[in-house]
């Protein structure tokens, strides 16, 4: 399913508005990313199943028609955010689109974020 033009326009608008994180607090960056994610249209057929992986929270994300094949193959997705922002929820729609395109479930993980958790915490989690 191709990305609709209105969604591409929304993404371009977000990127233009939020070009530089410099001079912004971590909280402001996170807040702006969350707000932008809320404004984007979402697939109506997203299925997200919470999972705990050791001490980490994650989600198995798929779309309608994707069968449970996690034991055989999966797509592991680490969200963006420069290791200071991002959550499974914020990237759930993207994970669902990857799932639909690949025909398999996507595992997303919430790794520890800086500055609360210093390097190499996020790398170790990933």
């Amino acid at each position: 399913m191709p990305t609709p033009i209105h969604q591409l326009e929304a993404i371009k608008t977000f990127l233009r508005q939020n070009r530089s994180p410099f001079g912004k607090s971590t909280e402001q960056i996170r807040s702006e990313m969350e707000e932008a994610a809320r404004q984007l249209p979402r697939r109506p057929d997203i299925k997200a199943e919470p999972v705990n992986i050791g001490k980490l929270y994650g989600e198995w994300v798929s779309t309608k028609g994707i069968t449970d094949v996690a034991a055989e193959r999966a797509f592991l997705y680490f969200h963006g955010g420069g290791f200071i922002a991002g959550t499974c929820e914020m990237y759930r729609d993207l994970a669902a689109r990857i799932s639909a395109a690949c025909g398999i479930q996507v595992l997303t993980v919430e790794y520890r974020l800086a500055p609360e958790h210093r390097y190499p915490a996020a790398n170790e989690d990933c």
Side-chain angles (χ1 to χ4, degrees), residues 102-118:
C102 296
I104 59 176
Q105 290 183 321
V106 174
L107 177 63
T108 61
V109 178
E110 287 191 9
Y111 48 80
R112 292 174 289 172
L113 301 174
E116 296 88 349
H117 303 281
R118 298 178 64 91

Side-chain angles (χ1 to χ4, degrees), residues 5-57:
I5 192 70
H6 66 277
Q7 187 169 10
L8 292 172
E9 290 301 324
I11 292 168
K12 286 175 21 182
T13 299
F14 167 72
L15 292 173
R16 274 190 236 106
Q17 291 172 351
N18 298 289
R19 288 185 189 164
S20 175
F22 299 108
K24 296 180 181 179
S25 69
T26 302
E27 294 77 21
Q28 185 177 6
I29 293 168
R30 290 175 182 170
S31 176
E32 288 176 358
M33 286 181 68
E34 289 169 9
E35 179 59 28
R38 278 192 292 273
Q39 292 179 24
L40 294 173
R42 294 185 177 237
R43 287 184 63 110
D45 59 346
I46 296 174
K47 179 181 172 189
E49 296 180 25
V51 63
N52 288 311
I53 306 161
K55 295 181 181 181
L56 301 177
Y57 172 80

